[in-house]
Amino acid sequence: VAGCTVGVMVVPQSMSYAKLAGLPVQYGLYSALMPVYAYAMFGSSRQLAVGPVAIVSLMLSTGLTISMGKSSSEIESSPELQAEYNALAIQTAFLVGCVYVLMGILRLGFVTIFLSHAVVSGFTTGAAVIIGLSQFKHLVGYDMERSDRIYEIFQYFFIDIDKFNFRTFMMGGLSILLLVLMKNIGKRYPK
């Protein structure tokens, strides 16, 4: 049962992480499948979850967009730029994997001790806000330029405010309200 549940969840989750990283959805499926096989052969912890995560997807998108010197909409609209972006993402993943293997061989896991809780917590909170706001375009019903800066996201929102779709906003808003309401009901009346 647990395997089926994870299998049902990993497909849409990995596809959304690929879109967050600015990659085609099939790359997300590959990134959810291949680490599991690699970790089954080389891993040592039975509780560790491997695969794509939102923060890494956001960092990859931000880093590659800056290094290419193009906006995300320019990259997505041009097949040549998208192919170059995809190749850079694969190369980045390979280099990160090499660094991880090297750190594992040299037993450098203790380096994470030097990251304070405040730094990790602040980074995670900031990434969560940026990821949440990147989905804002789906709530208001029109396409906006993707950005990793909060003020730019709001600027893009107000530039095209005349495209605001009230029905989409009501559907999304009611869905969020229903999710929050059900969460609170679940806490108040446990099984």
Side-chain angles (χ1 to χ4, degrees):
V1 175
C4 291
T5 304
V6 170
V8 168
M9 288 298 296
V10 78
V11 171
Q13 188 178 28
S14 62
M15 291 168 65
S16 65
Y17 288 153
K19 293 306 287 179
L20 187 61
L23 296 166
V25 292
Q26 53 269 41
Y27 284 76
L29 294 173
Y30 298 144
S31 68
L33 185 65
M34 296 311 291
V36 175
Y37 290 130
Y39 197 78
M41 293 190 315
F42 303 115
S44 59
S45 173
R46 291 179 14 189
Q47 289 80 27
L48 183 65
V50 295
V53 291
I55 294 175
V56 173
S57 299
L58 179 66
M59 288 173 51
L60 179 70
S61 172
T62 302
L64 292 182
T65 304
I66 290 171
S67 70
M68 288 185 68
K70 305 282 185 190
S71 70
S72 59
S73 59
E74 289 176 316
I75 293 170
E76 290 172 1
S77 64
S78 169
E80 296 85 19
L81 288 176
Q82 185 67 53
E84 181 183 348
Y85 184 89
N86 296 349
L88 286 172
I90 292 169
Q91 292 169 356
T92 302
F94 178 74
L95 288 173
V96 168
C98 290
V99 169
Y100 277 0
V101 168
L102 183 64
M103 289 181 74
I105 290 170
L106 298 175
R107 303 274 185 199
L108 294 176
F110 70 91
V111 173
T112 59
I113 295 170
F114 299 114
L115 294 173
S116 71
H117 177 71
V119 169
V120 174
S121 178
F123 175 76
T124 306
T125 303
V129 169
I130 293 292
I131 291 166
L133 287 176
S134 73
Q135 301 305 306
F136 195 57
K137 64 182 176 186
H138 303 294
L139 185 64
V140 296
Y142 60 88
D143 201 26
M144 297 187 305
E145 180 72 30
R146 195 171 63 192
S147 176
D148 60 339
R149 292 175 176 86
I150 293 175
Y151 69 90
E152 288 180 355
I153 293 172
F154 284 116
Q155 179 183 3
Y156 297 140
F157 167 70
F158 286 115
I159 286 173
D160 292 330
I161 193 76
D162 57 322
K163 297 178 184 175
F164 182 79
N165 187 335
F166 186 72
R167 284 183 235 160
T168 305
F169 178 73
M170 286 302 296
M171 183 69 167
L174 288 174
S175 297
I176 292 171
L177 183 67
L178 182 66
L179 286 170
V180 170
L181 184 67
M182 294 303 246
K183 179 182 173 185
N184 288 335
I185 289 172
K187 283 182 181 177
R188 192 169 292 159
Y189 303 107
K191 290 183 181 180

Tab-separated table of all heavy atoms in Angstrom, residues 150-185:
chain	number	residue	atom	x	y	z
A	150	ILE	N	10.396	38.848	-4.965
A	150	ILE	CA	9.002	39.067	-4.597
A	150	ILE	C	8.451	40.347	-5.224
A	150	ILE	O	7.338	40.361	-5.755
A	150	ILE	CB	8.858	39.100	-3.056
A	150	ILE	CG1	9.158	37.711	-2.489
A	150	ILE	CG2	7.473	39.550	-2.645
A	150	ILE	CD1	9.176	37.636	-0.995
A	151	TYR	N	9.221	41.422	-5.190
A	151	TYR	CA	8.715	42.678	-5.737
A	151	TYR	C	8.463	42.578	-7.236
A	151	TYR	O	7.541	43.204	-7.762
A	151	TYR	CB	9.659	43.842	-5.407
A	151	TYR	CG	10.996	43.804	-6.109
A	151	TYR	CD1	11.161	44.413	-7.347
A	151	TYR	CD2	12.093	43.170	-5.547
A	151	TYR	CE1	12.385	44.383	-8.007
A	151	TYR	CE2	13.307	43.130	-6.185
A	151	TYR	CZ	13.451	43.741	-7.419
A	151	TYR	OH	14.660	43.709	-8.068
A	152	GLU	N	9.261	41.773	-7.954
A	152	GLU	CA	9.026	41.594	-9.389
A	152	GLU	C	7.758	40.787	-9.648
A	152	GLU	O	7.031	41.064	-10.603
A	152	GLU	CB	10.225	40.913	-10.051
A	152	GLU	CG	11.436	41.810	-10.180
A	152	GLU	CD	12.616	41.103	-10.841
A	152	GLU	OE1	12.523	39.888	-11.114
A	152	GLU	OE2	13.632	41.779	-11.064
A	153	ILE	N	7.491	39.789	-8.810
A	153	ILE	CA	6.269	39.003	-8.972
A	153	ILE	C	5.051	39.905	-8.831
A	153	ILE	O	4.117	39.840	-9.639
A	153	ILE	CB	6.231	37.844	-7.950
A	153	ILE	CG1	7.334	36.830	-8.273
A	153	ILE	CG2	4.867	37.165	-7.938
A	153	ILE	CD1	7.512	35.754	-7.235
A	154	PHE	N	5.052	40.773	-7.824
A	154	PHE	CA	3.931	41.695	-7.651
A	154	PHE	C	3.879	42.733	-8.773
A	154	PHE	O	2.799	43.133	-9.203
A	154	PHE	CB	3.994	42.378	-6.280
A	154	PHE	CG	3.563	41.468	-5.164
A	154	PHE	CD1	4.460	41.092	-4.183
A	154	PHE	CD2	2.271	40.972	-5.104
A	154	PHE	CE1	4.073	40.245	-3.160
A	154	PHE	CE2	1.869	40.126	-4.089
A	154	PHE	CZ	2.772	39.764	-3.111
A	155	GLN	N	5.031	43.160	-9.262
A	155	GLN	CA	5.065	44.095	-10.385
A	155	GLN	C	4.423	43.458	-11.619
A	155	GLN	O	3.603	44.084	-12.281
A	155	GLN	CB	6.508	44.491	-10.690
A	155	GLN	CG	6.647	45.439	-11.851
A	155	GLN	CD	8.113	45.741	-12.172
A	155	GLN	OE1	9.027	45.195	-11.550
A	155	GLN	NE2	8.327	46.596	-13.145
A	156	TYR	N	4.781	42.206	-11.932
A	156	TYR	CA	4.188	41.511	-13.078
A	156	TYR	C	2.698	41.285	-12.879
A	156	TYR	O	1.928	41.304	-13.833
A	156	TYR	CB	4.899	40.174	-13.333
A	156	TYR	CG	6.345	40.319	-13.700
A	156	TYR	CD1	7.297	39.445	-13.192
A	156	TYR	CD2	6.791	41.333	-14.544
A	156	TYR	CE1	8.632	39.570	-13.517
A	156	TYR	CE2	8.125	41.464	-14.868
A	156	TYR	CZ	9.041	40.580	-14.357
A	156	TYR	OH	10.360	40.713	-14.681
A	157	PHE	N	2.290	41.072	-11.628
A	157	PHE	CA	0.868	40.898	-11.335
A	157	PHE	C	0.093	42.170	-11.663
A	157	PHE	O	-0.947	42.131	-12.316
A	157	PHE	CB	0.679	40.517	-9.863
A	157	PHE	CG	-0.740	40.607	-9.387
A	157	PHE	CD1	-1.689	39.707	-9.829
A	157	PHE	CD2	-1.120	41.596	-8.510
A	157	PHE	CE1	-3.002	39.790	-9.407
A	157	PHE	CE2	-2.428	41.691	-8.067
A	157	PHE	CZ	-3.374	40.781	-8.514
A	158	PHE	N	0.606	43.324	-11.235
A	158	PHE	CA	-0.124	44.570	-11.439
A	158	PHE	C	-0.029	45.104	-12.871
A	158	PHE	O	-0.905	45.842	-13.310
A	158	PHE	CB	0.349	45.636	-10.445
A	158	PHE	CG	-0.152	45.385	-9.054
A	158	PHE	CD1	0.739	45.088	-8.032
A	158	PHE	CD2	-1.500	45.432	-8.760
A	158	PHE	CE1	0.278	44.839	-6.739
A	158	PHE	CE2	-1.967	45.185	-7.474
A	158	PHE	CZ	-1.077	44.895	-6.473
A	159	ILE	N	1.015	44.715	-13.604
A	159	ILE	CA	1.131	45.162	-14.994
A	159	ILE	C	-0.025	44.618	-15.835
A	159	ILE	O	-0.602	45.330	-16.646
A	159	ILE	CB	2.497	44.733	-15.590
A	159	ILE	CG1	3.611	45.614	-15.024
A	159	ILE	CG2	2.480	44.809	-17.113
A	159	ILE	CD1	5.006	45.172	-15.424
A	160	ASP	N	-0.373	43.346	-15.624
A	160	ASP	CA	-1.417	42.704	-16.426
A	160	ASP	C	-2.696	42.478	-15.627
A	160	ASP	O	-3.421	41.511	-15.877
A	160	ASP	CB	-0.906	41.371	-16.968
A	160	ASP	CG	0.186	41.534	-17.996
A	160	ASP	OD1	0.188	42.561	-18.699
A	160	ASP	OD2	1.043	40.629	-18.105
A	161	ILE	N	-2.996	43.357	-14.686
A	161	ILE	CA	-4.162	43.174	-13.833
A	161	ILE	C	-5.467	43.173	-14.636
A	161	ILE	O	-6.462	42.585	-14.218
A	161	ILE	CB	-4.199	44.256	-12.719
A	161	ILE	CG1	-5.216	43.911	-11.626
A	161	ILE	CG2	-4.534	45.621	-13.317
A	161	ILE	CD1	-4.766	42.852	-10.707
A	162	ASP	N	-5.457	43.781	-15.828
A	162	ASP	CA	-6.664	43.799	-16.658
A	162	ASP	C	-7.013	42.405	-17.196
A	162	ASP	O	-8.136	42.180	-17.641
A	162	ASP	CB	-6.511	44.789	-17.813
A	162	ASP	CG	-5.306	44.488	-18.681
A	162	ASP	OD1	-4.261	44.090	-18.132
A	162	ASP	OD2	-5.412	44.666	-19.910
A	163	LYS	N	-6.085	41.445	-17.130
A	163	LYS	CA	-6.331	40.069	-17.574
A	163	LYS	C	-6.858	39.192	-16.436
A	163	LYS	O	-7.051	37.994	-16.625
A	163	LYS	CB	-5.042	39.450	-18.117
A	163	LYS	CG	-4.496	40.141	-19.338
A	163	LYS	CD	-3.211	39.479	-19.761
A	163	LYS	CE	-2.569	40.203	-20.921
A	163	LYS	NZ	-1.257	39.638	-21.258
A	164	PHE	N	-7.085	39.790	-15.277
A	164	PHE	CA	-7.544	39.056	-14.098
A	164	PHE	C	-8.816	38.275	-14.408
A	164	PHE	O	-9.772	38.804	-14.952
A	164	PHE	CB	-7.800	40.041	-12.949
A	164	PHE	CG	-8.234	39.395	-11.668
A	164	PHE	CD1	-7.312	38.796	-10.844
A	164	PHE	CD2	-9.563	39.398	-11.294
A	164	PHE	CE1	-7.711	38.206	-9.651
A	164	PHE	CE2	-9.967	38.821	-10.113
A	164	PHE	CZ	-9.038	38.217	-9.293
A	165	ASN	N	-8.815	36.966	-14.068
A	165	ASN	CA	-9.963	36.099	-14.317
A	165	ASN	C	-10.629	35.811	-12.979
A	165	ASN	O	-10.107	35.031	-12.171
A	165	ASN	CB	-9.498	34.813	-15.000
A	165	ASN	CG	-10.651	33.953	-15.448
A	165	ASN	OD1	-11.741	34.014	-14.913
A	165	ASN	ND2	-10.384	33.130	-16.448
A	166	PHE	N	-11.786	36.419	-12.769
A	166	PHE	CA	-12.468	36.303	-11.483
A	166	PHE	C	-12.915	34.872	-11.206
A	166	PHE	O	-12.851	34.409	-10.069
A	166	PHE	CB	-13.664	37.262	-11.443
A	166	PHE	CG	-14.332	37.315	-10.105
A	166	PHE	CD1	-13.710	37.941	-9.032
A	166	PHE	CD2	-15.566	36.710	-9.901
A	166	PHE	CE1	-14.314	37.985	-7.790
A	166	PHE	CE2	-16.170	36.742	-8.661
A	166	PHE	CZ	-15.544	37.386	-7.606
A	167	ARG	N	-13.368	34.144	-12.227
A	167	ARG	CA	-13.832	32.765	-12.022
A	167	ARG	C	-12.680	31.857	-11.574
A	167	ARG	O	-12.846	31.035	-10.676
A	167	ARG	CB	-14.461	32.224	-13.302
A	167	ARG	CG	-15.841	32.781	-13.526
A	167	ARG	CD	-16.445	32.157	-14.747
A	167	ARG	NE	-16.813	33.290	-15.598
A	167	ARG	CZ	-17.032	33.233	-16.872
A	167	ARG	NH1	-16.915	32.103	-17.512
A	167	ARG	NH2	-17.356	34.298	-17.534
A	168	THR	N	-11.545	32.009	-12.211
A	168	THR	CA	-10.380	31.210	-11.819
A	168	THR	C	-9.968	31.541	-10.391
A	168	THR	O	-9.649	30.651	-9.596
A	168	THR	CB	-9.210	31.471	-12.778
A	168	THR	OG1	-9.634	31.219	-14.105
A	168	THR	CG2	-8.020	30.609	-12.451
A	169	PHE	N	-9.985	32.828	-10.057
A	169	PHE	CA	-9.626	33.257	-8.709
A	169	PHE	C	-10.598	32.694	-7.679
A	169	PHE	O	-10.176	32.216	-6.612
A	169	PHE	CB	-9.603	34.786	-8.639
A	169	PHE	CG	-9.285	35.313	-7.277
A	169	PHE	CD1	-7.999	35.231	-6.775
A	169	PHE	CD2	-10.276	35.875	-6.489
A	169	PHE	CE1	-7.694	35.710	-5.509
A	169	PHE	CE2	-9.986	36.355	-5.227
A	169	PHE	CZ	-8.693	36.277	-4.734
A	170	MET	N	-11.887	32.719	-7.979
A	170	MET	CA	-12.877	32.194	-7.040
A	170	MET	C	-12.712	30.685	-6.862
A	170	MET	O	-12.783	30.168	-5.742
A	170	MET	CB	-14.305	32.514	-7.517
A	170	MET	CG	-14.685	33.965	-7.331
A	170	MET	SD	-14.577	34.509	-5.610
A	170	MET	CE	-15.816	33.511	-4.845
A	171	MET	N	-12.475	29.980	-7.950
A	171	MET	CA	-12.288	28.525	-7.862
A	171	MET	C	-11.038	28.189	-7.041
A	171	MET	O	-11.073	27.329	-6.161
A	171	MET	CB	-12.178	27.942	-9.271
A	171	MET	CG	-12.057	26.460	-9.298
A	171	MET	SD	-13.596	25.739	-8.766
A	171	MET	CE	-13.344	24.073	-9.259
A	172	GLY	N	-9.934	28.860	-7.318
A	172	GLY	CA	-8.706	28.632	-6.568
A	172	GLY	C	-8.838	29.044	-5.116
A	172	GLY	O	-8.396	28.336	-4.209
A	173	GLY	N	-9.437	30.213	-4.880
A	173	GLY	CA	-9.619	30.700	-3.515
A	173	GLY	C	-10.504	29.792	-2.687
A	173	GLY	O	-10.194	29.488	-1.524
A	174	LEU	N	-11.607	29.317	-3.280
A	174	LEU	CA	-12.489	28.399	-2.563
A	174	LEU	C	-11.810	27.053	-2.306
A	174	LEU	O	-12.027	26.439	-1.263
A	174	LEU	CB	-13.796	28.206	-3.344
A	174	LEU	CG	-14.753	29.403	-3.333
A	174	LEU	CD1	-15.933	29.156	-4.248
A	174	LEU	CD2	-15.209	29.709	-1.921
A	175	SER	N	-10.987	26.611	-3.246
A	175	SER	CA	-10.249	25.359	-3.040
A	175	SER	C	-9.265	25.488	-1.889
A	175	SER	O	-9.153	24.587	-1.052
A	175	SER	CB	-9.504	24.970	-4.317
A	175	SER	OG	-10.401	24.730	-5.363
A	176	ILE	N	-8.543	26.607	-1.833
A	176	ILE	CA	-7.607	26.835	-0.730
A	176	ILE	C	-8.356	26.932	0.590
A	176	ILE	O	-7.950	26.351	1.599
A	176	ILE	CB	-6.767	28.104	-0.992
A	176	ILE	CG1	-5.815	27.866	-2.167
A	176	ILE	CG2	-5.990	28.511	0.254
A	176	ILE	CD1	-5.108	29.115	-2.645
A	177	LEU	N	-9.466	27.647	0.587
A	177	LEU	CA	-10.289	27.765	1.790
A	177	LEU	C	-10.793	26.400	2.253
A	177	LEU	O	-10.754	26.085	3.450
A	177	LEU	CB	-11.463	28.712	1.532
A	177	LEU	CG	-12.371	29.000	2.715
A	177	LEU	CD1	-11.612	29.798	3.773
A	177	LEU	CD2	-13.594	29.765	2.255
A	178	LEU	N	-11.223	25.568	1.322
A	178	LEU	CA	-11.698	24.233	1.661
A	178	LEU	C	-10.571	23.370	2.237
A	178	LEU	O	-10.780	22.644	3.216
A	178	LEU	CB	-12.292	23.560	0.419
A	178	LEU	CG	-12.877	22.169	0.615
A	178	LEU	CD1	-14.101	22.242	1.516
A	178	LEU	CD2	-13.234	21.555	-0.721
A	179	LEU	N	-9.377	23.470	1.657
A	179	LEU	CA	-8.240	22.706	2.180
A	179	LEU	C	-7.879	23.120	3.607
A	179	LEU	O	-7.637	22.270	4.474
A	179	LEU	CB	-7.026	22.871	1.270
A	179	LEU	CG	-7.063	22.135	-0.055
A	179	LEU	CD1	-5.915	22.578	-0.942
A	179	LEU	CD2	-7.021	20.641	0.166
A	180	VAL	N	-7.859	24.419	3.858
A	180	VAL	CA	-7.541	24.915	5.206
A	180	VAL	C	-8.635	24.508	6.189
A	180	VAL	O	-8.352	24.082	7.320
A	180	VAL	CB	-7.345	26.447	5.177
A	180	VAL	CG1	-7.249	27.020	6.576
A	180	VAL	CG2	-6.122	26.811	4.370
A	181	LEU	N	-9.887	24.603	5.754
A	181	LEU	CA	-11.008	24.217	6.610
A	181	LEU	C	-10.954	22.733	6.954
A	181	LEU	O	-11.126	22.346	8.113
A	181	LEU	CB	-12.323	24.561	5.907
A	181	LEU	CG	-13.600	24.325	6.689
A	181	LEU	CD1	-13.663	25.288	7.867
A	181	LEU	CD2	-14.803	24.498	5.787
A	182	MET	N	-10.692	21.896	5.963
A	182	MET	CA	-10.614	20.452	6.220
A	182	MET	C	-9.430	20.110	7.128
A	182	MET	O	-9.520	19.193	7.956
A	182	MET	CB	-10.498	19.685	4.907
A	182	MET	CG	-11.739	19.798	4.057
A	182	MET	SD	-13.172	19.243	4.955
A	182	MET	CE	-13.583	17.823	4.038
A	183	LYS	N	-8.333	20.834	6.975
A	183	LYS	CA	-7.179	20.610	7.857
A	183	LYS	C	-7.546	20.914	9.305
A	183	LYS	O	-7.215	20.150	10.216
A	183	LYS	CB	-6.013	21.487	7.402
A	183	LYS	CG	-4.783	21.361	8.260
A	183	LYS	CD	-3.693	22.295	7.780
A	183	LYS	CE	-2.519	22.307	8.723
A	183	LYS	NZ	-1.506	23.281	8.335
A	184	ASN	N	-8.241	22.030	9.524
A	184	ASN	CA	-8.640	22.405	10.880
A	184	ASN	C	-9.674	21.442	11.452
A	184	ASN	O	-9.635	21.110	12.640
A	184	ASN	CB	-9.177	23.836	10.903
A	184	ASN	CG	-8.078	24.857	10.713
A	184	ASN	OD1	-6.917	24.591	11.021
A	184	ASN	ND2	-8.424	26.010	10.176
A	185	ILE	N	-10.592	20.975	10.613
A	185	ILE	CA	-11.582	19.995	11.071
A	185	ILE	C	-10.881	18.694	11.442
A	185	ILE	O	-11.218	18.053	12.442
A	185	ILE	CB	-12.661	19.769	9.991
A	185	ILE	CG1	-13.563	21.006	9.885
A	185	ILE	CG2	-13.501	18.537	10.304
A	185	ILE	CD1	-14.540	20.961	8.736
